[in-house]
Amino acid sequence: MTLTEMRYVVALARERHFGRAADACHVSQPTLSVALKKVEGQIGAPLFERGANDVRITPLGERIVAQARRVLDEAVKLEEIAEATGDPMSGQLRVGIIYTIAPYLLPQLIPALNKQAPKMPLFLKEDFTGNLIPALKAGELDVIVIALPFSEPGLVAQPVYDEPFRVVVPASHSWASHSEVNGDELDGQNLLLLGQGNCFRDQVLESCPRLSAPDALEHSLEGSSLETIRYMVASGAGVAVMPSTAADPLMTKEPLVKVLPFAGVQPKRTVGLVWRVTFPRPQAIDAVRAALLSCTLPGATATR
């Protein structure tokens, strides 16, 4: 079994879906299916049970996948040993970044990092935290930018900046004349949230404890991205909680909404970097952190 085939098997075990596994491996679904059939033919037994709507791993498959993960981990270490002999500030850096950070950070991060490391082009991947972590552990990414806290053996997490949350309401809303909003007031509003599985949705609900009540989200609506939610607010569909990097620029460019701070202690998220303990280019991580800190992000402050 080749390393590539091992990656396919591990991806399918993780995703339990041929299409998602193929996407994660950046290949077509037929390519992944053919490779899996070849592996099962060589082994002489199925690794997965194919159902109408799901994929289940067999007991043998679990043993094969566990060993494949160990082999892939060691292969990543081998690659990193080889990479350590070169210039740490030269060569591609593979960076993952979550959807609610990328559009607001990258326009400043790219030129800032280019000044510090002009010979270090970036390969960028936007995705959910739950998908970026496995890609980082598998060596498909070198460093990821996510919301903290995060802790897992073999990975290092370093906070970089804190970002407060804002309440965004239609310009015609009764709160538009207010100077601030109490988090408890969100209960009962038509609250616009990101969909399930998005970490920012969870952070919003955690920052407003009353929203965890059984009927608190009865009038909530979901948007696919912060930009979609912004337009929904502008249309009058409801109110939203957004990070300052997404919300504060609307004060001058979006007349149909009003951006308000929270009263009292400001709910916030901490944005940081996560990378493998064994990553051989710590200087590259330092350069990314320095570039992040040099960005002028609305409302954000360096983490103390």
Side-chain angles (χ1 to χ4, degrees):
M1 193 187 307
T2 67
L3 291 177
T4 297
E5 290 166 344
M6 289 184 194
R7 292 189 181 98
Y8 294 167
V9 170
V10 169
L12 185 56
R14 181 179 70 243
E15 301 294 341
R16 304 298 174 95
H17 187 277
F18 276 89
R20 291 195 297 270
D23 289 342
C25 295
H26 309 292
V27 297
S28 67
Q29 186 171 327
T31 296
L32 186 140
S33 297
V34 169
L36 181 61
K37 287 181 180 179
K38 174 188 172 186
V39 169
E40 290 179 325
Q42 292 172 334
I43 293 173
L47 304 183
F48 298 92
E49 297 177 15
R50 285 82 156 168
N53 298 312
D54 63 351
V55 175
R56 298 181 182 180
I57 188 168
T58 66
L60 174 62
E62 290 179 350
R63 294 171 58 192
I64 295 292
V65 167
Q67 184 62 35
R69 286 194 176 110
R70 287 191 285 269
V71 173
L72 291 172
D73 287 344
E74 293 302 317
V76 168
K77 293 177 184 178
L78 190 63
E79 292 172 358
E80 291 177 341
I81 290 172
E83 290 175 356
T85 61
D87 180 1
M89 302 299 285
S90 178
Q92 185 182 79
L93 188 71
R94 299 165 297 179
V95 180
I97 185 166
I98 59 176
Y99 292 116
T100 58
I101 293 177
Y104 315 104
L105 174 62
L106 291 178
Q108 292 194 49
L109 177 63
I110 298 305
L113 188 57
N114 184 258
K115 288 182 180 179
Q116 298 203 33
K119 297 181 180 179
M120 190 171 69
L122 298 186
F123 165 81
L124 297 169
K125 178 180 176 63
E126 282 187 80
D127 212 326
F128 297 111
T129 300
N131 295 329
L132 293 178
I133 295 297
L136 177 66
K137 293 170 66 176
E140 298 167 10
L141 296 171
D142 300 319
V143 60
I144 59 176
V145 184
I146 63 173
L148 304 180
F150 174 83
S151 178
E152 191 166 317
L155 300 179
V156 180
Q158 182 183 61
V160 180
Y161 64 87
D162 293 328
E163 182 178 18
F165 297 165
R166 312 292 194 211
V167 179
V168 184
V169 304
S172 59
H173 197 280
S174 59
W175 292 352
S177 59
H178 293 191
S179 59
E180 58 186 16
V181 175
N182 190 303
D184 290 343
E185 295 180 85
L186 292 173
D187 187 4
Q189 291 288 318
N190 290 330
L191 186 63
L192 306 177
L193 294 166
L194 291 172
Q196 296 281 352
N198 195 297
C199 62
F200 185 71
R201 173 195 175 98
D202 299 332
Q203 291 158 6
V204 170
L205 298 181
E206 290 171 7
S207 67
C208 305
R210 289 186 60 176
L211 295 178
S212 61
D215 59 347
L217 299 180
E218 181 180 356
H219 303 290
S220 68
L221 300 171
E222 292 186 357
S224 59
S225 69
L226 289 178
E227 287 302 296
T228 298
I229 287 178
R230 160 200 169 185
Y231 290 117
M232 292 171 70
V233 173
S235 75
V239 305
V241 176
M242 300 175 66
S244 62
T245 52
D248 288 6
L250 302 180
M251 295 180 187
T252 56
K253 71 178 185 180
E254 182 51 84
L256 294 178
V257 305
K258 180 72 179 292
V259 179
L260 302 168
F262 277 89
V265 178
Q266 300 283 301
K268 65 180 181 180
R269 68 177 176 182
T270 298
V271 176
L273 300 172
V274 179
W275 65 94
R276 295 182 302 281
V277 172
T278 57
F279 185 60
R281 299 166 61 191
Q283 300 92 331
I285 303 296
D286 291 340
V288 174
R289 184 176 189 276
L292 281 169
L293 291 172
S294 72
C295 296
T296 307
L297 303 172
T301 56
T303 303
R304 297 180 179 179

